[in-house]
Amino acid sequence: MNRIPMKTPLVEIDGDEMTRILWKMIKDELLEPFVELNTEYYDLGLPHRDETDDQVTVDAANAIKKYGVGVKCATITPNKARQKEYDLKRLYPSPNATLRAILDGTVFRTPILVKGIEPCVSNWKKPITIARHAYGDVYKNTEFRIPGKGTVKLVYEAEDGTVKEQTVFVFDGPGVVQGMYNIDRSITSFARSCFTYALNAKQDLWFAAKDTISKTYDGQFKAIFEKVFEEEFKEQFEEEGITYFYTLIDDAVARIMKSEGGIIWACKNYDGDVFSDMLSSAFGSLAMMTSVLVSPDGYFEYEAAHGTVQRHYYKHLKGEKTSTNSVATIFAWTGALRKRGELDGNGELMNFADLLERAVIHTIENGTMTGDLIRLSTLEKTKKVDSLEFIQAVRSELESCM
Ligand code: NAP
Ligand code: MG
């Protein structure tokens, strides 16, 4: 069989532990036999990050800027225990945070739906994608305890020396106070990423905040979204037949519960933190959740939403069988290959990505799945397989579709 050629390299970012093991299995069994993989490889496995003083992470981000599309394996964010385990020179920051800081993007998370793994909300027929603004607000707050009577003020000193001052509250006893901020530049790039993603996915975009209460702060989010939409995206949305819809956050929650899905839901930082966990657990499992970082400049980085599955890795090292779900990692590859194909006008590659996704879904819907899904499945006949057997089952399904 002729393998599918690739014109432009895909930025391949390898990672750690069990997902690193799955990564190789996926390449060996599901990609290399069918595609002449053209990748520029960056090893973000913790030992190599340490050897390069984390330069490799920066290089990987710059490569995504150069080529436009990357695919990333889950990586360890080191803590003290990891520093000891890997004898690290220092505590490196989360690779995802480094990539995000360089590419300046928004993370979109979408569940993968299969028959037999039913969402808790029975009217959700299509996936709901969450876009979380990952900058500022309560995550960068300044707060303290108020010990007793006194006045709290908000003071802004402009560069030219002018001062703006407002009383927050006159305390007549102990309490708490916090200050937080956001910046127009970040909100604007968040809005652009969301509109770009919606166009790409050809789905409606919802954005919600609480501008009735927070007239200036949340009001600014609402205003920026509206401005970016009117000036840059409105016509393209009309051409694609999709809509942009703003509503209050509590109204959005009520509507989401009653919707059938198939929308992109843009959330402020805190809302996104809360509702992405609600959605992923309501849809089934983190191992069935894809994640893509979309930069406002149109760079794409695909990954799985889960971590390196450490517990399974230690079983694997002891020579025991593991039943680790590779679906989200396979979908990271298909997402990246499809996008690469789209940018290069490589229809064959795009078809292959579709076919591989279908093979994964058929395999699970026919009852063959890893342990995490067996627990959730409503199918009558299921067969639990190990990590490699699952990937091999997908391969035979894929070969029979071809
Ligand atoms: P995790 O790797 O997501 O795994 C937590 C648990 O969830 C697993 O022990 C397993 O449960 C289940 N699980 C997750 N993915 C699974 C899969 N594909 N198949 C089957 N079960 C799966 O989180 P963690 O163990 O807390 O973190 C491990 C490392 O991952 C950490 O060092 C962290 O820094 C890193 N991390 C990386 C990323 C990223 O790169 N994007 C994201 C999050 C965490 P059972 O043990 O019950 O089977
Ligand atoms: Mg959270």
Side-chain angles (χ1 to χ4, degrees):
M1 200 194 87
N2 286 338
R3 297 193 304 160
I4 301 164
M6 283 176 67
K7 197 167 87 192
T8 316
L10 183 65
V11 180
E12 175 187 349
I13 303 176
D14 208 346
D16 290 298
E17 298 194 314
M18 199 58 211
T19 41
R20 188 179 178 98
I21 307 292
L22 297 178
W23 194 260
K24 181 160 186 328
M25 289 178 184
I26 292 168
K27 284 180 69 179
D28 289 349
E29 296 286 331
L30 300 177
L31 303 174
E32 300 275 15
F34 308 99
V35 180
E36 273 176 34
L37 266 192
N38 176 4
T39 70
E40 197 165 287
Y41 179 85
Y42 292 85
D43 182 4
L44 263 62
L46 199 43
H48 193 239
R49 268 185 277 156
D50 196 39
E51 274 163 38
T52 62
D53 283 311
D54 212 21
Q55 182 60 36
V56 65
T57 309
V58 175
D59 293 345
N62 287 324
I64 294 178
K65 278 190 160 177
K66 179 171 171 195
Y67 296 113
V69 189
V71 56
K72 179 180 170 291
C73 180
T75 46
I76 293 169
T77 297
N79 53 19
K80 286 271 180 234
R82 297 299 203 162
Q83 183 169 24
K84 211 169 144 208
E85 181 182 354
Y86 284 83
D87 192 21
L88 301 178
K89 288 182 266 184
R90 61 186 174 93
L91 278 185
Y92 300 97
S94 142
N96 287 338
T98 303
L99 292 168
R100 243 196 333 261
I102 295 173
L103 299 173
D104 174 25
T106 301
V107 173
F108 295 83
R109 291 192 159 184
T110 310
I112 300 157
L113 301 195
V114 292
K115 283 196 207 83
I117 315 283
E118 307 302 335
C120 301
V121 181
S122 56
N123 47 281
W124 288 354
K125 302 293 179 213
K126 299 176 198 161
I128 296 167
T129 298
I130 282 247
R132 174 183 172 188
H133 184 214
Y135 182 86
D137 296 354
V138 73
Y139 301 87
K140 289 282 181 192
N141 69 353
T142 306
E143 55 176 23
F144 52 80
R145 275 278 285 138
I146 300 291
K149 276 188 181 181
T151 302
V152 172
K153 291 178 181 178
L154 214 50
V155 182
Y156 164 69
E157 295 170 359
E159 254 184 355
D160 69 5
T162 46
V163 172
K164 189 173 173 178
E165 198 178 287
Q166 219 168 305
T167 298
V168 174
F169 193 63
V170 181
F171 286 85
D172 66 1
V176 282
V177 69
Q178 88 174 346
M180 59 187 194
Y181 67 90
N182 222 300
I183 55 177
D184 286 5
R185 180 160 40 85
S186 173
I187 303 167
T188 305
S189 81
F190 172 51
R192 277 204 190 105
S193 295
C194 291
F195 289 122
T196 305
Y197 188 94
L199 269 180
N200 210 53
K202 301 186 183 20
Q203 287 181 351
D204 293 345
L205 176 71
W206 294 10
F207 175 57
K210 193 73 179 176
D211 66 298
T212 44
I213 302 298
S214 171
K215 290 188 167 56
T216 305
Y217 199 111
D218 280 20
Q220 183 66 353
F221 277 80
K222 180 184 176 188
I224 287 177
F225 264 75
E226 234 163 64
K227 182 169 185 288
V228 172
F229 180 65
E230 290 293 329
E231 290 176 2
E232 300 172 35
F233 291 93
K234 195 175 178 182
E235 278 171 27
Q236 298 177 71
F237 266 54
E238 279 167 7
E239 276 165 29
E240 289 293 347
I242 56 175
T243 55
Y244 165 60
F245 170 62
Y246 173 83
T247 186
L248 292 169
I249 185 68
D250 39 354
D251 181 48
V253 171
R255 285 171 188 259
I256 284 284
M257 298 311 284
K258 293 190 171 165
S259 87
E260 62 160 23
I263 49 172
I264 321 286
W265 184 14
C267 289
K268 288 180 61 203
N269 209 348
Y270 176 80
D271 299 338
D273 187 352
V274 175
F275 294 126
S276 64
D277 281 16
M278 181 190 83
L279 281 185
S280 66
S281 55
F283 270 111
S285 151
L286 211 54
M288 297 293 283
M289 197 84 174
T290 64
S291 182
V292 58
L293 175 73
V294 180
S295 89
D297 306 309
Y299 310 125
F300 295 80
E301 185 241 320
Y302 294 82
E303 62 170 351
H306 59 79
T308 59
V309 211
Q310 182 181 18
R311 199 181 66 82
H312 295 208
Y313 180 59
Y314 281 94
K315 271 178 75 179
H316 170 84
L317 287 183
K318 279 193 269 173
E320 292 172 32
K321 281 215 184 289
T322 59
S323 185
T324 316
N325 189 333
S326 50
V327 172
T329 307
I330 298 172
F331 272 62
W333 274 99
T334 52
L337 290 172
R338 185 184 299 106
K339 181 48 87 180
R340 189 67 272 164
E342 188 189 315
L343 296 177
D344 290 351
N346 186 343
E348 253 190 306
L349 194 59
M350 293 170 75
N351 280 341
F352 173 76
D354 292 345
L355 218 56
L356 178 49
E357 287 183 359
R358 232 173 295 146
V360 168
I361 288 169
H362 282 169
T363 303
I364 299 170
E365 292 185 343
N366 289 336
T368 302
M369 59 193 89
T370 45
D372 57 313
L373 296 186
I374 293 274
R375 271 178 263 148
L376 303 170
S377 178
T378 58
L379 295 181
E380 265 174 30
K381 267 180 75 183
T382 56
K383 180 181 166 207
K384 180 179 166 181
V385 287
D386 70 30
S387 307
L388 180 61
E389 284 166 350
F390 178 76
I391 288 171
Q392 286 168 337
V394 172
R395 179 171 179 173
S396 34
E397 183 70 36
L398 178 65
E399 280 169 342
S400 70
C401 302
M402 285 173 137

